[in-house]
């Protein structure tokens, strides 16, 4: 600050000194004025050169004590030369000249004290010789008025030093606070980096763990489906059914976590179109009415002719999660789903007569894995991800959620949606999804299974053979390519079921993508994966292949095979 202030003030100081000595020389015509002029301009020139040199250097003067002392010497010499002006030019009979010398000298002193305040030593070096010589010059005049002037200048100097020290303290405190904030900001940035690194490591760990867990679960699910079919009409069929139900519950939990990963990765995109709510409401009634009846609850889904602007599939997922959550926490009474128009908005209310929530719980219900009244983590109550998915979808679709609840009196979840105009309704006739399509009887005749896990290959092959599908199982991309090259021309593989992560770092997506360039009539491809990492999900989304996420149920696998050859 001292160097920058000195550099910016140098031109003004030069002009003031020039005008000062020209005016004095004009009045006195004394050669001593020229000597004084040479001294003051020489000091200014050397100081300007020194400041320019060190302002461009990366090394501060305080890192070289001798250089810093030289600057203080230059500042002290500058103050001494200005103080000498009073000693040399004040003893004149012209009071106006004397007043001019005093006023200019004090002005130089005031200006210098301002820009030298960042360094205490600079204030002392400059101010002491100037005010001492000025005071001495006035006292030496011997007259009372000059004596009084000298005393007043001494008091002025003391006051100036005090204010300069206060200014110095203010600058010091502000700089300390600034650098402390900078240090805190840097520390916070480092902490954020560590948190982001930890989050990335957690994501990688969960992705790897999820993949490694999904792989055997996928095989277990398919083998269980085979067992369930094989043991039908036997005493052990009930055991197989229970096993299949438990595996389905575990698979549902994995799918919920996958949905969270996909939403956080930004791989879910909304296609907003005019949507009739009635078809979606009918789907809700079909899916949940039996579940409600088994628990002695009443599910009322009121018919509606309202249309909204939304993504049909994502909106249905939100409503299904809200209804499932309402039924989960309702022990008597029931759940009502109703749509109403309020001015320029459509309200979809999901109201229950369940347990309700305290006000301090409402702010946490959209957090992942947060569940009310489930300290034992009862798996039948899910993972606590359903409302987290609803929250993310509401932000994606820009459908605000309003929650009202009273403990012991039930809860209300309201979605606020934009209505679709009559013109938009006539231009589009969408139908909300009602669930997975049943497998088509026209399954492919021959399917190739490419997976490096022997258990998965066995499970898929056994399941397909039960449905009369001929299957070729291979464990590597090289084996798959060899089998495709040698396949009978009259009985080619219609579909390739390909795992994404293969052995030895091979990539099933790359292999499948390359088939189009190598074969005139490549098989249709269905990718199977247990990946949940955001980058992998984005990459799969950008491909043109059907993707099934492990564990894949037998029903879903057969439906996909029927769909891909349709």
């Amino acid at each position: 600050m001292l160097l920058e202030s000195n550099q910016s003030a140098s031109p003004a100081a030069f002009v003031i000194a020039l005008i000062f000595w020209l005016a004095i020389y004009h009045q006195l015509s004394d050669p001593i004025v020229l000597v004084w002029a040479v001294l003051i301009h020489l000091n200014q020139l050397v100081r300007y050169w020194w400041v320019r040199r060190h302002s461009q250097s990366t090394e501060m003067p305080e890192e070289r004590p001798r250089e810093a002392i030289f600057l203080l010497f230059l500042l002290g010499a500058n103050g001494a030369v200005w103080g000498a002006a009073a000693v040399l030019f004040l003893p004149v009979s012209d009071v106006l000249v004397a007043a001019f010398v005093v006023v200019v000298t004090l002005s130089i002193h005031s200006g210098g004290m301002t820009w030298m305040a960042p360094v205490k030593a600079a204030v002392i070096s400059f101010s002491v010789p100037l005010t001492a010589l000025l005071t001495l010059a006035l006292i030496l005049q011997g007259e009372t008025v000059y004596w009084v002037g000298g005393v007043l200048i001494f008091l002025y100097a003391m006051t100036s030093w005090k204010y300069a020290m206060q200014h110095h303290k203010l600058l010091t405190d502000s700089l300390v606070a600034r650098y402390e904030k900078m240090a805190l900001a840097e520390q916070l940035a480092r902490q954020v980096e560590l948190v982001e690194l930890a989050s990335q490591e957690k994501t990688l760990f969960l992705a790897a763990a999820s993949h490694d867990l999904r792989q055997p679960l996928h095989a277990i699910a398919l083998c269980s489906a085979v067992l369930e079919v094989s043991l039908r009409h036997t005493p052990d069929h009930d055991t197989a059914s229970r096993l299949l139900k438990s595996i389905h519950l575990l698979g549902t939990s994995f799918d919920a976590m996958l949905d969270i990963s996909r939403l956080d990765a930004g791989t879910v995109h909304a296609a907003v179109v005019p949507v009739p709510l009635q078809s979606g409401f009918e789907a809700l009634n079909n899916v949940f009415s039996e579940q409600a009846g088994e628990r002695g609850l009443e599910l009322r889904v009121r018919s509606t002719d309202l249309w909204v602007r939304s993504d049909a599939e994502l909106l249905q997922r939100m409503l299904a999660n809200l209804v499932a959550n309402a039924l989960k926490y309702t022990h008597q009474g029931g759940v009502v789903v109703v749509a109403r128009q309020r001015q320029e908005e459509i309200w979809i209310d999901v109201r229950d007569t369940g347990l309700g929530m305290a006000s301090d719980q409402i702010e946490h219900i959209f957090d992942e894995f947060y569940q009310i009244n489930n300290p034992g983590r009862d798996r039948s109550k899910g993972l606590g991800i359903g409302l987290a998915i609803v929250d993310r979808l509401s932000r994606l679709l820009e459908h605000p959620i309003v929650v009202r609840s009273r403990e012991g009196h039930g809860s209300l979840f309201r979605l606020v949606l934009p209505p679709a105009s009559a013109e938009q309704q006539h231009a589009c006739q969408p139908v909300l999804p009602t669930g997975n399509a049943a497998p088509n009887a026209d399954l492919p005749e021959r399917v190739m299974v490419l997976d490096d896990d022997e258990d998965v290959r066995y499970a898929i092959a056994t399941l397909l053979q039960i449905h009369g599908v001929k299957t070729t199982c291979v464990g590597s991309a090289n084996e798959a390519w060899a089998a495709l090259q040698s396949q009978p021309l009259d009985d080619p593989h219609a579909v390739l079921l390909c795992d994404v992560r293969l052995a030895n770092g091979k990539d099933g997506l790359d292999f499948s993508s390359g088939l189009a360039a190598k074969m005139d009539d490549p098989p249709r491809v269905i990718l199977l994966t247990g990946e949940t990492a955001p980058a992998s999900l984005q990459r799969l989304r950008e491909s043109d292949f059907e993707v099934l996420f492990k564990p894949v149920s037998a029903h879903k696998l057969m439906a996909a095979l029927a769909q891909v050859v349709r």
Side-chain angles (χ1 to χ4, degrees):
M1 291 179 67
L2 179 65
L3 296 181
E4 290 179 359
S5 298
N6 188 92
Q7 190 170 354
S8 61
S10 293
F14 175 82
V15 172
I16 292 173
L18 179 64
I19 295 175
F20 175 76
W21 71 261
L22 286 175
I24 296 296
Y25 185 76
H26 176 73
Q27 291 293 327
L28 303 182
S29 301
D30 189 343
I32 195 67
V33 177
L34 300 179
V35 175
W36 184 90
V38 170
L39 292 176
I40 193 65
H41 288 314
L42 180 63
N43 179 276
Q44 291 174 337
L45 180 63
V46 173
R47 187 155 42 89
Y48 182 77
W49 166 81
W50 191 95
V51 169
R52 285 273 297 180
R53 172 188 171 190
H54 290 283
S55 294
Q56 298 173 358
S57 174
T58 57
E59 189 177 11
M60 287 289 96
E62 53 267 28
E63 298 174 5
R64 290 174 290 179
R66 291 184 179 179
E67 302 262 358
I69 292 173
F70 182 66
L71 175 61
L72 296 178
F73 169 76
L74 291 176
L75 294 175
N78 185 57
V81 173
W82 277 106
V87 176
L88 296 174
F89 310 142
L90 199 59
V92 295
S93 56
D94 193 337
V95 177
L96 290 179
V97 173
F100 176 72
V101 171
V102 172
V103 169
V104 172
T105 305
L106 290 179
S107 298
I108 290 295
H109 178 269
S110 298
M113 293 289 280
T114 301
W115 64 263
M116 292 184 196
V119 180
K120 287 183 180 180
V123 172
I124 302 302
S125 299
F126 173 75
S127 178
V128 170
L130 189 153
T131 54
L133 289 174
L134 180 58
T135 301
L136 180 63
L138 290 171
I139 292 176
L140 289 177
Q141 301 307 308
E143 298 182 14
T144 303
V145 66
Y146 287 103
W147 270 83
V148 173
V151 173
L152 292 177
I153 288 175
F154 175 76
L155 295 176
Y156 160 78
M158 297 293 293
T159 304
S160 297
W161 294 342
K162 178 181 177 181
Y163 283 119
M165 294 304 104
Q166 290 178 348
H167 189 193
H168 172 82
K169 186 177 185 304
L170 179 62
L171 288 173
T172 302
D173 293 343
S174 63
L175 285 173
V176 168
R178 175 183 175 184
Y179 285 114
E180 284 179 348
K181 289 180 180 179
M182 290 175 62
L184 288 174
E186 292 176 358
Q187 184 178 1
L188 179 60
R190 287 195 297 270
Q191 293 297 325
V192 170
E193 290 178 1
L194 291 175
V195 171
E196 291 178 348
L197 179 61
S199 178
Q200 293 173 1
E201 292 177 349
K202 180 205 71 173
T203 300
L204 292 175
F205 168 77
L206 289 178
S210 176
H211 178 273
D212 293 343
L213 290 173
R214 284 172 180 270
Q215 194 75 354
L217 182 60
H218 178 57
I220 293 171
L222 296 179
C223 288
S224 299
V226 172
L227 279 176
E228 195 269 340
V229 173
S230 302
L231 296 176
R232 193 166 294 169
H233 309 303
T234 69
D236 294 326
H237 180 259
D238 184 60
T239 302
S241 298
R242 289 178 181 273
L243 175 62
L244 196 60
K245 184 177 180 181
S246 298
I247 293 171
H248 175 72
L249 182 61
L250 186 56
T252 302
S253 300
F254 271 112
D255 289 341
M257 288 188 286
L258 176 63
D259 288 338
I260 288 288
S261 298
R262 292 175 61 205
L263 288 167
D264 290 341
T267 60
V268 177
H269 297 272
V272 178
V273 296
V275 177
L277 292 179
Q278 180 59 27
S279 55
F281 280 14
E282 291 174 358
L284 288 176
N285 190 68
N286 293 335
V287 172
F288 293 103
S289 59
E290 183 178 353
Q291 177 184 340
E294 290 176 353
R295 300 184 54 198
L297 302 175
E298 183 181 3
L299 174 63
R300 289 188 294 169
V301 183
R302 296 181 181 174
S303 61
T304 178
D305 58 356
L306 295 175
W307 287 57
V308 296
R309 288 189 53 77
S310 184
D311 181 291
E313 183 176 352
L314 300 182
L315 174 60
Q316 188 69 6
R317 182 63 188 274
M318 293 178 70
L319 293 175
N321 282 9
L322 289 175
V323 173
N325 184 77
L327 290 173
K328 187 186 307 179
Y329 291 101
T330 301
H331 301 314
Q332 59 181 1
V335 177
V336 176
V337 181
V338 60
R340 294 174 292 176
Q341 181 157 9
R342 289 294 183 269
Q343 297 180 352
E344 296 302 319
E345 296 176 343
I346 301 293
W347 292 357
I348 302 179
D349 291 350
V350 179
R351 186 188 300 271
D352 64 67
T353 59
L355 301 176
M357 296 171 284
S359 57
D360 59 338
Q361 293 175 321
I362 294 178
E363 58 183 297
H364 299 293
I365 59 175
F366 295 111
D367 297 341
E368 297 95 331
F369 311 113
Y370 181 82
Q371 291 181 305
I372 299 174
N373 299 325
N374 190 18
R377 303 300 298 175
D378 181 359
R379 289 179 300 167
S380 65
K381 295 183 179 180
L383 293 175
I385 296 181
L387 291 183
I389 293 175
V390 171
D391 178 57
R392 283 164 169 78
L393 289 176
S394 74
R395 286 185 268 125
L396 176 66
L397 296 171
E398 297 183 355
H399 297 343
I401 306 177
V402 178
V403 182
R404 296 175 182 170
S405 184
R406 288 178 58 197
E407 195 167 9
H409 292 80
S411 302
L412 166 69
F413 287 81
R414 173 175 294 158
L415 295 181
V416 181
L417 297 88
S421 64
E423 294 79 7
Q424 293 169 339
Q425 296 176 28
H426 292 313
C428 183
Q429 294 293 331
V431 177
L432 276 170
T434 59
N436 295 327
N440 193 297
D442 298 327
L443 292 171
E445 294 185 5
R446 181 181 291 273
V447 172
M448 176 178 290
V449 180
L450 171 54
D451 198 301
D452 58 342
D453 191 304
E454 183 178 356
D455 293 335
V456 171
R457 296 198 302 270
Y458 171 80
I460 295 178
T462 305
L463 178 66
L464 295 181
Q465 289 167 6
I466 288 177
H467 289 83
V469 179
K470 291 179 286 186
T471 308
T472 301
C473 294
V474 290
S476 68
N478 292 335
E479 293 179 21
W481 176 240
L484 288 172
Q485 285 182 310
S486 61
Q487 66 184 358
L489 295 178
D490 58 345
D491 189 19
H493 294 90
V495 178
L496 170 64
L497 290 174
C498 183
D499 188 20
V500 173
R501 187 186 296 188
L502 300 174
N504 301 320
K506 299 297 182 179
D507 187 275
L509 176 57
D510 291 340
F511 173 76
S512 302
S513 301
L515 292 179
K518 296 179 180 180
M519 301 180 65
D520 295 332
D521 186 19
R524 304 290 181 87
V525 175
I526 298 177
L527 296 175
L528 304 175
T529 183
E531 298 285 354
T532 57
S536 299
L537 294 177
Q538 179 66 29
R539 183 166 166 264
L540 291 172
R541 179 186 172 276
E542 293 172 353
S543 71
D544 296 327
F545 300 124
E546 176 78 13
V547 181
L548 298 179
F549 292 93
K550 299 177 181 178
V552 182
S553 68
H555 179 87
K556 186 179 293 185
L557 179 60
M558 303 310 295
L561 286 171
Q563 180 68 32
V564 79
V565 297
R566 186 171 298 169

